[in-house]
Amino acid sequence: MLRYFIKRLLFSIPSLLVFLIALFFLLRLAPGGPFDGEQVWPPEVQANILKKYHLDQPLHRQLTEWLIQLGHGDLNESFQYLGKPVTEILAETFPVSLLLGTLALGVCISVGIFFGGIAAWRQGSLADRLLLFISSVSISLPVFLIASVLVLIFSLQLKWLPPALWEGPSSAILPVLALSWRPSAIVFQLTRSTLIESLRSDFVRTARGKGVPEYGIIFKHALKNALIPVLGALGPIAANLVTGSFLVELIFQIPGMGKYFVHAVLNRDYPLVMGVTLLYGGILILTHILVDLAYALVDPRIRLGESL
Amino acid sequence: MRQIFQKQNRFLTFCCLALSLMAGMAVFAPQVTHYSFEEQNISEKLEPPSAKHWMGTDTLGRDLYSRVVYGARLSLLVGFVTAISGLLLGVSVGAIAGYRGGAIDLLLMNLVDFLMIFPSVLMAILLMLLFGRGPLGIILAISITSWLSLARQVRGQVMQAKRFPYVESARAIGASPAAILFKHILPNLLGPILVSLTIQIPNNIMAESLLSFVGLGLAPPYSSWGTLANEGFRGMQTYPHLLIFPSAAIFITILAFNYLGDELRKKSEKRL
Amino acid sequence: MKICGRILGALLLFQVNGIGLAQALPELKNFTLRLQGEPETLDWNKAHTPIENYLMITLMEGLVSLDSVKVEPALAESWKISGDRKTYTFKIRKNAVWSDGVPVTAEDFLTSWKRLLAPETAAAYAYFLFDIEGAEAFNQGKEKDFSKVAVKPLDSKTLQVRLRKPVSHWISIPTHWVTFPLRKDILEKYGDQWAKPGRMVTAGPYLLDRYDLNSQIILKRNPKYYGHQGKVDQITALIVADDTTALQLYQTGKLDFLTDFPILNVKSLSETPGFQIFPYLKTVYLGFSFSPNHPTDAQKWIQNPHLRKAIAMSIDRSKIGEILQGKQSPGATFVPPPLTGSSKNVGITYNPKEALEEFRLSQAPKGIELEILILNWEKTLTLAQFIQSQLKLHLGIQLNLQPYDNKTYRAQLDLHRHPLFLTSWSADYPDPDNFLSIFLSDSGNNRPGWKNSSFDHKILQARQMPSSSQRERLYIEMQRELLDKEVVIVPLYYEPNIALVNPRVRGLKLNPLNYLDIKGVEISETK
């Protein structure tokens, strides 16, 4: 198992590097430069700026320089937030995104699987239909709409919770809800449908025949089987919750990394985009490997060696 | 399709009706509106819904109903085209990787991993900067990012299905890999594929609206529902109609897709 | 493990933040304002975006400052201008000290200006000092010796500056934050990383107390400040990127002062007690691109002044105030009121009939398509769509909008690929020269790329004129050329600074350069 893990990890590193290099060139293709602003600086000023940030050198030189620095664990300084090392920005903002994402993932898994189990258990009942309806409605709502409705109700009308900022547990409630709303519904639907499917399978019938109570069947026998596709979906969902929270971060003004990333792309802050991507890449690769491992744990029929 | 209509499920009929209505609106937009979607009338700006303007008017006095009807064209187009191209790409890559295994699997999955490194909407933002803001740019940006999770999922399921006894026996008789994939494995995956398609279409319609949110949507006066909803979002406290109607259009469409997908899935399962 | 620690850290911070704020508030008079984004830097030599504006002005002071549009003494209590109008001698206040008690000296200005001009600093606003003898050569790296730049401390409290030629607006230059003094010992100790809490020393009314990345910046009253400070103990600058979120924070009492919010809400908010409109020196204009690198048909047509005139005549600018909801006044001259050189009698007026005639004279084919380059902001999109419909209505021109994000937009402006563009200019210093000199042939900000040597000559001539009535005549003359005859640009409207100020806050001032003055602010405890 450990060998597989290390092998996968080692295989991923070149992929990540290739991707980063591709991104490096892709970024330079986008029109505009990091120091274009409201005003046009005189040519001598512009030349000084380009020289200072090594933007006057040929692209491959810039790339080698970046890679060498990366080897030393240095991600350069941000072009937009002058004097701030990218590593420092990541160290300060990533934990916030991670916390937000983890909380949302927790909500998403517990709500999704719990209600999914209930709906499958009482398939066709009123509760099942109601849950199904709510989940369909939830999936159909864009994040910004959920967020704005939550803010309208709980902050502006009822004045119970703050509309934005990151100042304490009460200010985390709305963003976590907004962020986990849709994925919860997705997890719910997946759990429900795969559970129903596996409830029809032979081994469940056998268990039923043996007189195992229904909730026992659901939460012990069937769920374990049903979790495979759910796990497959949870990987990207988890990754997206941590990395894709930028809209929620923007709307609720949370000092996380997602918002920085969008701004970095829009402002052509090359070092910051590269740094964030590197970190995102690491997380995503890790989640994928973990999901594959989890697959293998849940379903012994899948043999790890084969994917290598 | 006929079977679906014959079924006694009123809600499903409603969903099909809603979708045909949206599609009809998109196709016959000039026939079902009596105002132009771009004609401005400053003296009638920001009016609430009335008999004259069914959904009210926007900042420049344009008829919101006409704009929503014309918006259907763009939103549905973006949603469908991107989901279908994503589906084709995702299923083929996933199936090949899962079935063949070995080096091909490793290669393809690493490719997927590369592209997955970027959160999809952020990738789309970057691609939009490169492709420009036309409908083609948006479709490309969203399609490129919308097949990845499907590919992974299909791969996982193919890997699982490969061990089913009937597949192993088909292989033993000497059926070609393509035949096995298409005859024995893919039909069984129809359910999960449909489920993820019903997730993908709404996802893509939403991805388009998120792009509008960061200011990279389609250029006015052409407005998708996403663009309209985002305009409305800015003024939701004062002029709620600007947010409500476009959002309702997005919402109903996506809801209908979800139900339709659900029913289709049930059907495909029963056939087993 | 490390990540676990980080999460724990984030959780802790989260707790501390919440409790800390709740406890600190009742005793301190706190004033909360909003920043539209993370400041790029607080290093005043390098800061160059409008986001840093409020912070720079409250943290620091320069030789002189601007009260409304008048130059007032600041760290310099007085100054003398020589007879040839080239030498400026500033007398620095005796009681002006840094926040650590060290007196402010002429040497501190020398340190700062040398750093601003040094090529290694790569400061964008270095050109602000180019009127000083030797400054431009030093910035270009042609001259390595800073003693050749005519900035001399005569003694510890006297600074002398010599210009290469007289410039009538020059006294406004040292009001800008890039020219604020810097301490040599601090720079030597911390290098480029000096602008951080605990390191930065200031000589303005406030100190940098705390900086939470991407979240908030807290300023505390500077006890060593020489002047009158007002009653606010603490300024909290919240970083809020989204306009809608910022508005909601204001509405729930978390912000005391807010300037940019979605235009759809302006009308309903204008009836609330906190709504205020401050004057602003900002002109939004429609420009025509004169240097076509890729001569398309559209670019050839736009070279014809009749077409440009036709376009100018077909836009009803009096409607803009209603569409943008902020009572924006329609533009006439490029120089906005109340500056000299602003007049209602210059510029082309709305006249659809004559517009059609001009269009016919231009010999452009009917139903032509033109592209307009714009920013993808709510306001500019709305404005551009209005122009689009006006041109279609009166001239049958199909205007295609090309909205881009800020960076792409700037890059496209430089490429001159689109025959029309929408942009604005806001003052760096309150002088007509700051507006009209952007159309100098060699100015990088000459977005239309229009070149006219007699116009250039007049600008330089006006710069050296001591009499303001003479200058005014020249500025009007120049604008007749620019707007009426050549129609290089069409001034659309003058932007007001629309703000929301919490009713508990009184006495807040915002000058036409968007400089915030909170020295006179009083905060009542009610609410």
Side-chain angles (χ1 to χ4, degrees):
Chain A
M1 193 70 79
L2 190 70
R3 249 191 67 198
Y4 169 76
F5 185 79
I6 294 170
K7 231 175 173 180
R8 275 290 301 264
L9 211 60
L10 284 178
F11 264 97
S12 305
I13 289 171
S15 329
L16 184 58
L17 270 180
V18 171
F19 180 77
L20 282 170
I21 292 169
L23 177 70
F24 188 90
F25 290 107
L26 205 66
L27 267 177
R28 307 301 168 112
L29 275 180
F35 296 101
D36 292 345
E38 201 101 349
Q39 305 197 349
V40 175
W41 324 119
E44 54 267 46
V45 171
Q46 219 146 27
N48 287 338
I49 293 174
L50 291 183
K51 197 166 158 215
K52 166 137 188 173
Y53 299 99
H54 303 254
L55 290 169
D56 55 344
Q57 291 183 14
L59 271 186
H60 64 274
R61 284 277 297 280
Q62 292 182 36
L63 179 67
T64 2
E65 209 173 300
W66 188 81
L67 287 171
I68 290 169
Q69 280 186 318
L70 179 68
H72 293 104
D74 181 8
L75 291 175
N76 219 330
E77 269 181 20
S78 159
F79 282 171
Q80 200 197 353
Y81 308 108
L82 299 176
K84 262 181 218 152
V86 169
T87 41
E88 199 183 299
I89 295 179
L90 296 185
E92 278 188 52
T93 56
F94 178 60
V96 178
S97 287
L98 190 60
L99 179 66
L100 181 69
T102 316
L103 288 174
L105 186 67
V107 170
C108 175
I109 293 176
S110 39
V111 169
I113 292 183
F114 177 72
F115 285 108
I118 288 186
W121 178 25
R122 291 268 177 257
Q123 195 198 343
S125 70
L126 188 69
D128 178 30
R129 281 157 184 244
L130 196 69
L131 281 170
L132 206 56
F133 180 73
I134 294 174
S135 73
S136 304
V137 168
S138 306
I139 286 181
S140 319
L141 292 169
V143 179
F144 61 87
L145 206 63
I146 296 171
S148 51
V149 170
L150 286 174
V151 168
L152 264 182
I153 296 176
F154 293 103
S155 309
L156 296 178
Q157 291 299 321
L158 298 172
K159 299 195 192 296
W160 288 351
L161 295 165
L165 304 181
W166 192 243
E167 290 183 333
S170 70
S171 63
I173 298 174
L174 292 185
V176 166
L177 268 182
L179 188 59
S180 60
W181 201 281
R182 288 193 69 226
S184 299
I186 293 172
V187 171
F188 162 82
Q189 290 197 343
L190 254 165
T191 312
R192 180 186 171 277
S193 64
T194 47
L195 251 181
I196 289 173
E197 216 167 296
S198 72
L199 280 176
R200 293 202 200 104
S201 62
D202 292 340
F203 73 96
V204 171
R205 262 181 230 149
T206 325
R208 263 200 204 115
K210 279 193 208 155
V212 180
E214 192 71 4
Y215 65 85
I217 290 175
I218 289 195
F219 287 98
K220 260 195 191 150
H221 294 78
L223 197 60
K224 199 182 162 195
N225 227 29
L227 272 182
I228 297 168
V230 176
L231 262 176
L234 266 186
I237 287 177
N240 262 320
L241 283 176
V242 178
T243 60
S245 51
F246 81 97
L247 258 178
V248 170
E249 287 177 15
L250 186 75
I251 292 172
F252 290 98
Q253 196 47 48
I254 293 166
M257 198 165 72
K259 201 174 52 177
Y260 256 94
F261 186 69
V262 178
H263 285 274
V265 173
L266 289 180
N267 289 314
R268 316 290 190 271
D269 187 346
Y270 306 138
L272 189 53
V273 176
M274 299 297 286
V276 178
T277 311
L278 182 70
L279 187 60
Y280 277 168
I283 299 166
L284 281 152
I285 287 174
L286 217 61
T287 15
H288 287 317
I289 298 176
L290 288 177
V291 166
D292 276 1
L293 282 175
Y295 262 134
L297 285 180
V298 177
D299 187 352
R301 285 173 301 180
I302 294 172
R303 281 167 232 154
L304 286 175
E306 219 145 292
S307 62
L308 272 183
Chain B
M1 283 305 267
R2 199 183 295 156
Q3 261 182 324
I4 296 169
F5 283 110
Q6 280 169 355
K7 223 186 147 199
Q8 303 258 312
N9 189 333
R10 251 179 274 151
F11 199 81
L12 188 63
T13 324
F14 168 77
C15 287
C16 290
L17 270 178
L19 282 184
S20 350
L21 190 76
M22 294 293 175
M25 258 167 49
V27 176
F28 300 108
Q31 281 77 33
V32 297
T33 54
H34 44 283
Y35 290 100
S36 148
F37 68 103
E38 51 175 350
E39 196 186 300
Q40 301 175 8
N41 190 346
I42 309 292
S43 57
E44 286 180 10
K45 74 180 162 74
L46 293 167
E47 279 182 6
S50 63
K52 196 173 169 202
H53 298 287
W54 297 347
M55 295 182 183
T57 57
D58 73 354
T59 351
L60 290 161
R62 291 171 295 198
D63 182 54
L64 190 60
Y65 166 70
S66 304
R67 291 178 71 69
V68 169
V69 168
Y70 276 90
R73 286 188 168 182
L74 290 164
S75 290
L76 292 181
L77 185 79
V78 169
F80 265 105
V81 175
T82 53
I84 302 272
S85 55
L87 178 83
L88 291 176
L89 204 58
V91 169
S92 34
V93 170
I96 293 169
Y99 189 81
R100 297 296 292 269
I104 292 181
D105 177 36
L106 189 72
L107 195 80
L108 288 175
M109 283 305 109
N110 267 331
L111 180 77
V112 170
D113 280 351
F114 283 175
L115 294 171
M116 271 229 171
I117 283 167
F118 250 49
S120 55
V121 173
L122 299 180
M123 182 66 155
I125 290 176
L126 188 63
L127 291 174
M128 285 292 298
L129 288 176
L130 295 173
F131 292 149
R133 292 192 56 176
L136 193 69
I138 290 193
I139 287 173
L140 274 174
I142 297 176
S143 324
I144 287 184
T145 54
S146 71
W147 59 278
L148 304 167
S149 58
L150 187 67
R152 278 204 143 258
Q153 227 174 313
V154 169
R155 169 184 172 266
Q157 308 231 347
V158 169
M159 273 166 70
Q160 198 183 348
K162 215 162 57 166
R163 320 239 149 256
F164 290 160
Y166 64 86
V167 177
E168 279 184 357
S169 55
R171 215 193 296 185
I173 331 169
S176 75
I180 293 174
L181 261 176
F182 281 100
K183 271 196 190 146
H184 301 284
I185 297 181
L186 284 181
N188 293 337
L189 293 177
L190 207 59
I193 289 172
L194 275 175
V195 169
S196 74
L197 187 64
T198 58
I199 294 171
Q200 208 61 61
I201 293 181
N203 266 353
N204 292 357
I205 292 182
M206 242 168 251
E208 188 272 332
S209 73
L210 297 192
L211 279 176
S212 315
F213 195 89
V214 284
L216 293 171
L218 285 163
Y222 305 103
S223 300
S224 65
W225 291 335
T227 328
L228 292 175
N230 284 314
E231 274 172 32
F233 174 76
R234 315 264 151 216
M236 64 177 172
Q237 290 182 40
T238 324
Y239 308 104
H241 68 271
L242 290 180
L243 180 62
I244 291 171
F245 291 109
S247 313
I250 298 180
F251 172 71
I252 291 170
T253 309
I254 295 176
L255 189 67
F257 269 121
N258 286 342
Y259 263 97
L260 196 66
D262 231 32
E263 292 302 317
L264 283 174
R265 189 179 50 77
K266 274 184 206 153
K267 275 224 153 345
S268 77
E269 271 160 15
K270 267 181 203 153
R271 219 182 299 133
L272 266 179
Chain C
M1 264 331 270
K2 220 172 172 184
I3 289 199
C4 285
R6 285 260 180 231
I7 295 182
L8 205 67
L11 264 171
L12 277 174
L13 192 76
F14 199 76
Q15 298 276 336
V16 170
N17 266 355
I19 296 166
L21 271 178
Q23 284 177 343
L25 279 176
E27 302 133 37
L28 286 170
K29 295 255 188 196
N30 181 59
F31 176 80
T32 315
L33 56 87
R34 173 234 185 170
L35 302 181
Q36 270 179 303
E38 176 89 28
E40 295 191 354
T41 175
L42 293 182
D43 180 336
W44 46 75
N45 276 165
K46 293 183 183 177
H48 65 91
T49 74
I51 289 175
E52 289 102 10
N53 208 335
Y54 296 152
L55 296 176
M56 295 287 95
I57 295 301
T58 33
L59 282 170
M60 239 343 248
E61 262 183 20
L63 287 170
V64 285
S65 69
L66 275 175
D67 177 54
S68 188
V69 292
K70 226 178 114 235
V71 176
E72 301 266 326
L75 287 176
E77 56 186 4
S78 66
W79 61 90
K80 267 195 213 114
I81 305 174
S82 67
D84 64 355
R85 295 170 40 247
K86 288 198 330 200
T87 307
Y88 287 66
T89 314
F90 294 93
K91 201 86 200 143
I92 294 163
R93 272 176 213 279
K94 292 214 172 57
N95 55 350
V97 291
W98 291 91
S99 48
D100 57 355
V102 177
V104 176
T105 63
E107 196 71 34
D108 299 334
F109 284 92
L110 190 77
T111 308
S112 164
W113 294 13
K114 183 177 174 182
R115 182 166 176 266
L116 176 64
L117 285 169
E120 310 83 77
T121 313
Y125 268 124
Y127 75 92
F128 256 50
L129 294 182
F130 280 5
D131 285 321
I132 298 175
E133 218 173 77
E136 193 165 1
F138 185 75
N139 185 251
Q140 285 167 337
K142 285 183 202 152
E143 178 59 67
K144 304 270 179 224
D145 184 6
F146 192 71
S147 66
K148 295 275 157 51
V149 182
V151 180
K152 303 257 169 347
L154 297 184
D155 59 55
S156 74
K157 290 285 182 188
T158 317
L159 184 74
Q160 196 176 67
V161 178
R162 192 164 167 77
L163 309 185
R164 47 187 177 186
K165 52 181 181 267
V167 175
S168 28
H169 64 260
W170 198 82
I171 193 61
S172 336
I173 296 287
T175 62
H176 199 274
W177 63 77
V178 292
T179 69
F180 291 176
L182 271 176
R183 278 259 297 282
K184 203 171 184 180
D185 54 323
I186 300 285
L187 275 180
E188 273 162 6
K189 202 161 162 196
Y190 303 116
D192 277 346
Q193 303 290 325
W194 65 270
K196 293 191 167 168
R199 294 181 176 179
M200 180 194 278
V201 286
T202 68
Y206 289 87
L207 295 170
L208 180 62
D209 183 50
R210 187 167 154 184
Y211 192 145
D212 297 337
L213 195 66
N214 205 359
S215 166
Q216 60 177 3
I217 296 169
I218 295 176
L219 310 185
K220 279 246 160 64
R221 189 197 271 272
N222 174 7
K224 298 271 166 51
Y225 180 61
Y226 71 86
H228 169 71
Q229 247 166 333
K231 298 190 171 144
V232 176
D233 302 303
Q234 177 178 296
I235 299 174
T236 307
L238 293 179
I239 299 160
V240 185
D242 188 70
D243 286 351
T244 310
T245 309
L247 179 61
Q248 285 160 353
L249 285 170
Y250 171 80
Q251 286 169 326
T252 47
K254 299 225 170 217
L255 276 177
D256 289 319
F257 170 65
L258 176 65
T259 49
D260 287 271
F261 48 91
I263 56 168
L264 276 170
N265 299 294
V266 172
K267 205 169 178 189
S268 65
L269 288 166
S270 67
E271 284 142 29
T272 60
F275 187 84
Q276 289 188 42
I277 294 183
F278 295 95
Y280 200 5
L281 291 176
K282 183 172 181 177
T283 310
V284 177
Y285 68 94
L286 172 75
F288 300 102
S289 195
F290 277 78
S291 52
N293 298 335
H294 316 267
T296 57
D297 283 345
Q299 249 132 0
K300 273 178 224 144
W301 296 322
I302 216 75
Q303 304 305 315
N304 188 321
H306 290 292
L307 180 61
R308 299 199 297 269
K309 210 173 245 180
I311 291 174
M313 282 173 171
S314 58
I315 303 168
D316 185 1
R317 280 163 281 173
S318 64
K319 288 249 168 64
I320 294 174
E322 199 185 328
I323 293 163
L324 300 182
Q325 307 211 10
K327 299 192 180 81
Q328 285 84 351
S329 49
T333 40
F334 180 56
V335 176
L339 295 182
T340 44
S342 147
S343 160
K344 285 214 158 107
N345 304 322
V346 182
I348 292 169
T349 43
Y350 176 59
N351 190 339
K353 246 189 206 159
E354 224 171 291
L356 209 56
E357 177 60 22
E358 289 287 340
F359 185 68
R360 205 183 50 76
L361 284 173
S362 78
Q363 289 175 331
K366 276 203 175 105
I368 53 168
E369 288 191 25
L370 295 173
E371 284 184 337
I372 182 168
L373 174 67
I374 57 170
L375 266 171
N376 60 358
W377 295 347
E378 187 200 10
K379 214 183 227 170
T380 41
L381 277 171
T382 309
L383 183 64
Q385 289 180 70
F386 170 67
I387 297 171
Q388 188 179 42
S389 81
Q390 293 271 293
L391 296 195
K392 186 153 198 187
L393 183 69
H394 300 308
L395 302 176
I397 293 177
Q398 173 67 43
L399 195 63
N400 296 326
L401 309 191
Q402 299 289 320
Y404 288 105
D405 65 284
N406 194 20
K407 291 284 165 177
T408 315
Y409 168 80
R410 302 282 164 207
Q412 295 289 343
L413 268 182
D414 289 343
L415 290 175
H416 295 280
R417 208 173 278 160
H418 309 279
L420 277 76
F421 58 89
L422 208 54
T423 186
S424 67
W425 183 260
S426 50
D428 292 316
Y429 46 88
D431 194 278
D433 180 77
N434 185 238
F435 280 82
L436 291 172
S437 67
I438 69 171
F439 296 111
L440 281 171
S441 298
D442 62 348
S443 160
N445 293 309
N446 187 343
R447 302 294 189 184
W450 177 71
K451 291 181 174 36
N452 185 314
S453 56
S454 86
F455 182 89
D456 292 359
H457 180 72
K458 280 178 197 157
I459 292 268
L460 299 177
Q461 202 185 343
R463 252 184 210 175
Q464 301 187 25
M465 277 180 180
S467 137
S468 93
S469 64
Q470 261 180 310
R471 286 180 79 201
E472 180 165 17
R473 214 172 311 129
L474 208 53
Y475 284 135
I476 297 274
E477 199 180 304
M478 275 185 244
Q479 289 181 90
R480 282 204 200 286
E481 171 98 17
L482 183 77
L483 308 172
D484 293 4
K485 204 168 140 238
E486 293 276 334
V487 204
V488 179
I489 57 161
V490 184
L492 295 171
Y493 67 91
Y494 305 121
E495 189 84 82
N497 211 351
I498 301 175
L500 292 169
V501 184
N502 191 323
R504 77 191 185 108
V505 173
R506 269 165 226 284
L508 181 131
K509 283 200 278 184
L510 198 61
N511 89 355
L513 267 62
N514 197 22
Y515 284 15
L516 181 69
D517 180 2
I518 63 163
K519 285 181 196 162
V521 163
E522 290 196 32
I523 296 177
S524 55
E525 265 318 315
T526 50
K527 220 177 172 183

